[in-house]
Amino acid sequence: MAAQVQALTSATGLISLLNEEERELQFYGLSQLNSVADRFWAEISDSISRIEILYEDEGFQHRQLAALVASKIYFHLGEFDDALNFALGAGELFDLADTSSYVQTVVNHAIDKYIELRSKGEEAEAAVDPRLETIVERMFERCFETKDYAQVIGISLETRRLDLLERALVSGDTRSLLAYVQNDCVDLISSIRIQSQVQELLFKVHMQFESPDYESICLCLSKLNNPTKTAEILAMLVGGKNDDKVLSAYQIAFDLDANATQEFTKAVVGELGTDDNAESASGPTPVDRIKSILRGDETLKLHLEFLFRNNKTDMNILNRTCKLLDSRMSLAHNAMTITNAFMHAGTTVDNFLRDNLEWLSRASSWSKFSATAALGVIHRGQIKHGFSLLQPYLPEDNTSVSPFSEGGAFFALGLIHACHGSEKVINYLKDVLVSYQNDDVEILQHGACLGLGAAGMGSGSEDTAHALMNVLYTDSAVSGEAAALGLGLVMMGSSHESTLKDMLLYAKETLHEKIIRSLAVGIGLLMFGRKQEADSLVESLLNEEDPLLRLGAVHTITMAYCGTGDNGAIRKLLHLAVSDVKDDVRRAAVTGLGFILLRSPEQVPRMVELLSESFNPHVRVGAALALGIACSGTGSKAAIAILEPMLKDSVDFVVEGASVALAFILIQQNETYEPKVGEVRKRFATIIETKNAEGVTKFGAAISQGILNAGGRNVTIGLTTNDGQLNAPACAGMLLFTQFWYWFPLAHFLALSFRPTALIAVNKDLNTPNLEAVCTSRKALYTYPPNIEQPVAQAPVKIATAVLSTTAKTRRTTKKTASDEPSSAKKSDESESPAKDKVDEDSMDVDDSNTSADQKSQKKGRKAASDTFTVSNITRLLPFQEKHMKWPVGARYVPVKQGRISGVLVVKDTAPEEPEDLIESTLPDDPIEDEDDSDDAAIQPPEPFEYPFDSEHA
């Protein structure tokens, strides 16, 4: 039979059998057509109506076969919907085990159709064709038979079949599958409701183990916003006498501080309550330590210790840039202020300001505001001494003397307490909003609103939001701009209905462009991570005629789908990037691609390559920033290849954006790891040295130098946490940094995106022991870049004196007479030289094979030793270095959390009976009072000083 089929040259004879009256002939014709459909589908398609008639004939016994043949014909015609419909009618004849392109395509189309119907809501779910569901169920069963659980998990999440998800989790390696779903899948679910249901399912499966993974459980509970259950688990872990569980509780607290919102951690602290035995004879209790960790005290202290101890700031860069930029220009002064703030972020070192008081005194108006606010970046994390550090700049007795520097101090106070605002700080800044009634009140309110936003970020405090809303309603362009941003930061990710409604209403009523633009950003922050919940808001904003409201739609898409890689969001942004009539909207749309794809940086260069060559410079700078944001810290060669030509762009702000993007990408990289680093650094220096370069270009090059050397060269751009979770404060800080296009002081928010790259290990007492981990890679790849060389003053060149012709003739005669005398001696020396050379040649011929072998073995040993080195506690550990790190075998200290070696790690002491060698802190308890008592002045932070600003009024 197979030979006969191969011998066919036409299907006409088989098609004619379909017109016979006998059912057996029709069945035979269909059977043969089914076997030759792939060859003669074009010929058979002319008679497709006859095949459909047979399928619709309920008296025909072989209707399913007719449906299968019709499905194959429609598949070849490219009509996949019809092919799927007839495949559903084929029933069991449609073989899912078949690996042909026909079966694979129809199955994929069936799954896509099923996903589409299931994602439309409960009403659409009820309308799903049972035959379609049968095919999908059969496909699931086949995956279970082949133990392809990852595919089951992926499709079950997209189709919202949580019953199949649970079955897959318990059927395979449950712990690894749970980690896969939590780390790689949950954040990609576009529906918040389904995402919460999945988290509840994960919590349920976790609790089925005899020894549950409480770290993962608490992460689920933080996503579900269930502080009560989280506090119960922490209390249970520290309630017994099991030291391992106590250490696990500490690690959970550190992870919650890094991954959860401020609102959640404060709620957990409140649920833990007050310990009756708060101070025992041996010190703080475990509950006290957990509270301290959740409040951020311990993490901030460890980060300050790391950044201060390992500060490698190259002061030559700052001094050189300061001399080259004209500080009389506000643009240049802001550039130096921001550059210094970035380079010393979190280090508490403000020596540059002390050594350049004359330069600092040239600041005027808002430059003073920005310069004072920079102290908040430099001293970020000094929450115990925030007020004392800023005391010289804060107003006394509610009397304003220097509003610009005082407003900057309010902003600095918020940056110092960023994401960890205590009740004292929040109340102080709220009082500022109502305590001053002078003419310069809007400047003070501007700083206080920004400070409130930074300190109360993600707290969800309605009282704070109400205070900011009152400032917004004053309709002052200066204070209203900051109030709108502060609202978005405080209520970040909450999608608070009444706040959103008030912000939208006021954005349509006010006439101040600055306020509308800030409200656009604030609305985006309010909808952070809300995904599909933001779609209706986006559609309404896109239909507005005001381009600033459409800009709000762009920011809402960017923040709502940040880090998800959602295709629908990407399509909307690409459409706006090429179609909107407003340059601001187009630039923001292209920049937003970097936020959405920050977890898939390899996709961004290919996506924005054409946009980087657009005729519109705003689109080009947006493409540059998108590359920088998505590829930050990766050293992506594809991104660098796109950005390098943009440094020669004819438009100044495009060069500025390309410089910043390159700094993002190459942060913490040296020339050994990425050779382009040296060229980029030299390029920035050249731009600053060029006298006729545009001011905006110099500004970009200057702050890019600050980003490349940020935090004493010990921080990176961390839009995700060490656990791979989305870092909400960092994403907000990056979005606000991109607004420096309109308002320079907002550049300071980039400090929220700085993540210390460190190995920090703490023991059961939260002290830092001396320990080492092993890196199985070359040390040269991870060393600090060398400092730039200071220019050496050249000695004055001696000018050649004029020589007369007679004098030159006399000298030549004298020289010739002197050269004739030693000729005989020279000849005797030459006669002896051949014998000497012969001896030397004979000695060169002597070679010892054993010596050569020893030298080779020594060289090989040195090479092997150079490929491995140790990393101590509280030292720099780069992100791309982590994959080469391991704990030494038989080490005394072992991390409680396996699979991670960076960030703050709680370690277990395997030899508790032996004395511990602890690392002493270099930070004093009080940087002001203890400075004079210290014997080692080199390790003390400088005391506060007053800026050399005169009193001024706006």
Side-chain angles (χ1 to χ4, degrees):
M1 183 62 67
Q4 293 178 3
V5 171
Q6 290 293 332
L8 285 176
T9 58
S10 174
T12 303
L14 298 176
I15 294 173
S16 65
L17 293 176
L18 302 181
N19 296 320
E20 297 291 336
E21 295 183 359
E22 296 186 16
R23 296 297 192 183
E24 292 183 1
L25 291 176
Q26 292 173 344
F27 169 65
Y28 178 78
L30 286 172
S31 300
Q32 296 304 309
L33 289 175
N34 181 46
S35 60
V36 299
D38 294 337
R39 293 176 56 201
F40 299 109
W41 60 268
E43 189 176 353
I44 301 171
S45 64
D46 294 334
S47 304
I48 189 67
S49 59
R50 179 57 185 165
I51 298 174
E52 292 182 13
I53 290 173
L54 291 175
Y55 168 67
E56 294 171 357
D57 185 359
E58 295 183 0
F60 185 47
Q61 187 178 358
H62 304 287
R63 293 178 59 209
Q64 291 184 342
L65 181 59
L68 181 62
V69 175
S71 176
K72 289 183 178 181
I73 302 304
Y74 278 119
F75 161 73
H76 287 291
L77 290 173
E79 300 290 340
F80 297 132
D81 285 336
D82 291 330
L84 174 59
N85 289 333
F86 283 103
L88 296 178
E92 295 294 332
L93 292 182
F94 183 71
D95 186 9
L96 294 176
D98 188 1
T99 58
S100 65
S101 59
Y102 158 68
V103 173
Q104 296 298 323
T105 303
V106 172
V107 168
N108 291 338
H109 195 68
I111 294 173
D112 290 340
K113 193 73 173 177
Y114 189 66
I115 292 172
E116 180 184 353
L117 293 172
R118 295 276 302 182
S119 61
K120 289 183 178 179
E122 297 180 359
E123 295 181 0
E125 290 177 11
V128 174
D129 191 333
R131 299 176 303 169
L132 176 61
E133 195 155 7
T134 300
I135 281 189
V136 176
E137 291 280 0
R138 287 168 56 197
M139 188 276 300
F140 275 123
E141 292 300 329
R142 184 166 171 269
C143 290
F144 278 117
E145 291 174 2
T146 58
K147 297 184 179 181
D148 192 359
Y149 300 119
Q151 186 171 357
V152 175
I153 288 173
I155 299 177
S156 63
L157 286 173
E158 290 197 75
T159 58
R160 306 183 178 187
R161 291 290 302 274
L162 301 188
D163 55 331
L164 294 172
L165 174 62
E166 182 177 5
R167 180 182 169 190
L169 289 174
V170 300
S171 298
D173 184 358
T174 304
R175 290 189 184 275
S176 62
L177 290 175
L178 284 169
Y180 168 68
V181 174
Q182 183 66 67
N183 298 330
D184 300 332
C185 302
V186 172
D187 288 338
L188 303 181
I189 301 174
S190 56
S191 170
I192 296 295
R193 179 177 63 85
I194 300 300
Q195 186 174 338
S196 298
Q197 292 177 1
V198 172
Q199 293 286 7
E200 291 174 355
L201 175 60
L202 296 179
F203 172 74
K204 173 185 172 183
V205 176
H206 271 298
M207 294 303 292
Q208 293 176 0
F209 290 103
E210 293 183 4
S211 56
D213 181 3
Y214 289 111
E215 294 175 9
S216 298
I217 289 173
C218 289
L219 180 60
C220 290
L221 293 173
S222 70
K223 300 290 185 182
L224 292 169
N225 196 24
N226 190 342
T228 303
K229 189 64 178 179
T230 305
E232 291 176 3
I233 291 176
L234 291 173
M236 180 270 296
L237 290 174
V238 300
K241 297 182 179 180
N242 190 324
D243 291 341
D244 290 346
K245 289 186 176 181
V246 173
L247 295 177
S248 179
Y250 291 164
Q251 185 66 68
I252 291 171
F254 277 116
D255 291 345
L256 288 176
D257 179 51
N259 297 315
T261 64
Q262 184 179 178
E263 180 183 15
F264 181 81
T265 54
K266 285 185 175 180
V268 175
V269 171
E271 291 289 342
L272 286 172
T274 304
D275 195 346
D276 296 334
N277 300 318
E279 289 292 334
S280 63
S282 59
T285 64
V287 173
D288 294 330
R289 291 195 174 106
I290 288 177
K291 288 183 178 181
S292 178
I293 295 170
L294 290 173
R295 284 192 295 264
D297 299 344
E298 300 299 328
T299 303
L300 293 175
K301 181 177 71 174
L302 292 169
H303 285 169
L304 281 171
E305 178 69 33
F306 163 71
L307 293 173
F308 184 69
R309 177 186 292 269
N310 297 280
N311 180 25
K312 295 292 189 296
T313 301
D314 186 358
M315 297 300 296
N316 294 334
I317 295 176
L318 283 172
N319 294 329
R320 188 174 180 181
T321 305
C322 185
K323 292 177 181 179
L324 292 171
L325 295 180
D326 187 0
S327 60
R328 291 172 297 180
M329 296 177 58
S330 176
L331 182 67
H333 204 285
N334 274 292
M336 275 309 306
T337 297
I338 296 168
T339 302
N340 174 57
F342 288 167
M343 293 180 72
H344 288 102
T347 63
T348 72
V349 177
D350 53 12
N351 290 340
F352 175 78
L353 300 176
R354 295 172 172 280
D355 298 338
N356 295 273
L357 293 178
E358 181 183 356
W359 163 83
L360 194 61
S361 64
R362 298 174 186 172
S364 61
S365 300
W366 288 104
S367 294
K368 296 180 182 180
F369 179 93
S370 185
T372 313
L375 285 176
V377 178
I378 295 172
H379 294 283
R380 188 191 170 204
Q382 283 273 24
I383 57 177
K384 288 186 178 180
H385 313 296
F387 278 101
S388 57
L389 287 167
L390 295 174
Q391 193 61 45
Y393 325 115
L394 295 173
E396 297 181 1
D397 301 327
N398 293 337
T399 303
S400 174
V401 178
S402 178
F404 287 107
S405 57
E406 290 164 353
F410 294 143
F411 185 17
L413 186 65
L415 290 172
I416 289 175
H417 296 82
C419 305
H420 298 89
S422 63
E423 187 175 352
K424 176 183 177 182
V425 173
I426 298 296
N427 290 335
Y428 175 81
L429 292 174
K430 284 197 294 186
D431 290 341
V432 171
L433 302 181
V434 296
S435 299
Y436 296 88
Q437 303 297 330
N438 57 336
D439 295 337
D440 301 322
V441 64
E442 58 182 11
I443 301 172
L444 301 176
Q445 288 180 340
H446 184 92
C449 288
L450 292 178
L452 267 177
M457 184 182 299
S459 64
S461 171
E462 295 188 16
D463 291 339
T464 305
H466 182 70
L468 291 168
M469 191 66 74
N470 289 336
V471 176
L472 181 65
Y473 287 153
T474 61
D475 204 38
S476 165
V478 175
S479 57
E481 177 186 31
L485 295 174
L487 265 175
L489 290 170
V490 171
M491 306 302 290
M492 183 178 179
S494 66
S495 67
H496 195 267
E497 187 175 354
S498 62
T499 303
L500 179 61
K501 182 179 178 181
D502 292 341
M503 293 174 75
L504 281 171
L505 185 61
Y506 196 74
K508 296 177 182 179
E509 290 180 354
T510 184
L511 299 178
H512 292 292
E513 183 178 315
K514 295 178 71 173
I515 295 179
I516 301 174
R517 182 181 289 110
S518 295
L519 283 170
V521 177
I523 290 170
L525 293 171
L526 196 71
M527 301 304 293
F528 179 84
R530 306 310 296 184
K531 302 173 186 176
Q532 284 186 353
E533 287 186 11
D535 288 349
S536 59
L537 173 62
V538 169
E539 292 301 325
S540 64
L541 290 175
L542 287 177
N543 293 328
E544 295 288 342
E545 294 183 2
D546 189 345
L548 294 179
L549 293 178
R550 296 200 303 274
L551 182 63
V554 172
H555 291 318
T556 302
I557 296 172
T558 299
M559 290 289 97
Y561 289 95
C562 184
T564 63
D566 185 81
N567 290 329
I570 293 173
R571 281 195 296 270
K572 288 179 182 177
L573 291 181
L574 287 174
H575 176 70
L576 289 168
V578 298
S579 65
D580 201 277
V581 297
K582 186 68 172 178
D583 288 334
D584 288 355
V585 177
R586 299 180 71 176
R587 182 181 64 253
V590 182
T591 305
L593 294 172
F595 285 96
I596 293 177
L597 292 170
L598 64 88
R599 284 175 168 164
S600 306
E602 66 282 352
Q603 297 181 20
V604 181
R606 178 168 45 87
M607 183 173 295
V608 304
E609 185 174 8
L610 291 177
L611 294 173
S612 67
E613 299 174 358
S614 170
F615 72 93
N616 189 321
H618 293 268
V619 174
R620 295 202 298 274
V621 73
L625 291 175
L627 285 168
I629 292 168
C631 303
S632 56
T634 63
S636 170
K637 296 185 183 297
I640 294 172
I642 296 174
L643 290 169
E644 273 191 311
M646 299 176 73
L647 290 176
K648 301 177 182 178
D649 199 280
S650 59
V651 181
D652 54 359
F653 61 78
V654 175
V655 179
E656 176 191 55
S659 300
V660 171
L662 280 170
F664 284 161
I665 293 171
L666 296 174
I667 189 172
Q668 283 201 319
Q669 309 211 5
N670 59 25
E671 291 189 59
T672 306
Y673 189 85
E674 176 49 63
K676 290 288 185 181
V677 173
E679 298 178 17
V680 171
R681 288 179 179 271
K682 290 179 182 177
R683 178 63 179 167
F684 292 161
T686 302
I687 291 174
I688 294 172
E689 292 172 358
T690 305
K691 290 185 178 180
N692 59 349
E694 295 290 342
V696 171
T697 305
K698 288 188 176 184
F699 178 89
I703 66 172
S704 297
Q705 285 186 333
I707 295 170
L708 271 178
N709 301 277
R713 298 179 172 177
N714 291 300
V715 299
T716 189
I717 304 295
L719 300 183
T720 56
T721 65
N722 289 311
D723 290 320
Q725 302 296 315
L726 205 61
N727 189 343
C731 294
M734 180 62 76
L735 178 66
L736 290 172
F737 169 77
T738 61
Q739 304 306 304
F740 80 85
W741 175 278
Y742 308 105
W743 191 230
F744 286 140
L746 296 182
H748 292 309
F749 276 106
L750 184 64
L752 302 182
S753 300
F754 291 155
R755 188 186 74 206
T757 52
L759 166 62
I760 303 177
V762 297
N763 61 9
K764 59 182 177 62
D765 298 322
L766 302 185
N767 295 322
T768 51
N770 259 318
L771 55 81
E772 292 181 341
V774 178
C775 180
T776 58
S777 183
R778 287 194 301 141
K779 188 174 183 178
L781 295 172
Y782 315 112
T783 56
Y784 290 95
N787 292 345
I788 64 170
E789 298 180 1
Q790 289 195 16
V792 180
Q794 296 182 352
V797 180
K798 186 177 181 181
I799 301 175
T801 57
V803 180
L804 298 176
S805 59
T806 55
T807 305
K809 184 176 180 181
T810 303
R811 288 179 179 176
R812 286 197 299 269
T813 304
T814 305
K815 186 176 181 181
K816 182 177 180 182
T817 304
S819 62
D820 291 340
E821 294 179 355
S823 59
S824 57
K826 184 177 180 182
K827 289 181 180 179
S828 62
D829 291 341
E830 290 177 351
S831 62
E832 295 177 1
S833 62
K836 184 177 180 181
D837 293 341
K838 190 174 187 315
V839 173
D840 292 339
E841 290 175 0
D842 293 341
S843 64
M844 292 293 289
D845 290 339
V846 178
D847 187 17
D848 191 347
S849 59
N850 292 333
T851 303
S852 178
D854 291 343
Q855 291 175 349
K856 290 181 179 180
S857 63
Q858 291 175 4
K859 186 176 180 181
K860 185 176 181 181
R862 286 196 300 269
K863 184 178 180 181
S866 65
D867 289 342
T868 301
F869 65 98
T870 58
V871 177
S872 303
N873 196 8
I874 318 186
T875 54
R876 191 174 77 153
L877 180 64
L878 302 181
F880 46 87
Q881 184 182 357
E882 293 179 22
K883 60 185 177 182
H884 303 291
M885 296 296 299
K886 64 179 182 180
W887 289 97
V889 179
R892 175 176 176 177
Y893 296 97
V894 180
V896 172
K897 185 173 185 175
Q898 301 298 323
R900 201 186 80 193
I901 200 166
S902 63
V904 181
L905 298 175
V906 180
V907 293
K908 177 184 177 182
D909 187 1
T910 59
E913 67 282 354
E914 299 180 7
E916 286 189 288
D917 181 16
L918 301 178
I919 300 175
E920 295 184 1
S921 174
T922 57
L923 289 173
D925 291 335
D926 191 334
I928 300 174
E929 296 178 0
D930 295 351
E931 184 173 1
D932 297 333
D933 300 334
S934 175
D935 296 331
D936 189 359
I939 63 173
Q940 297 298 323
E943 63 181 1
F945 67 97
E946 292 193 30
Y947 277 124
F949 297 155
D950 295 330
S951 300
E952 82 290 321
H953 297 280

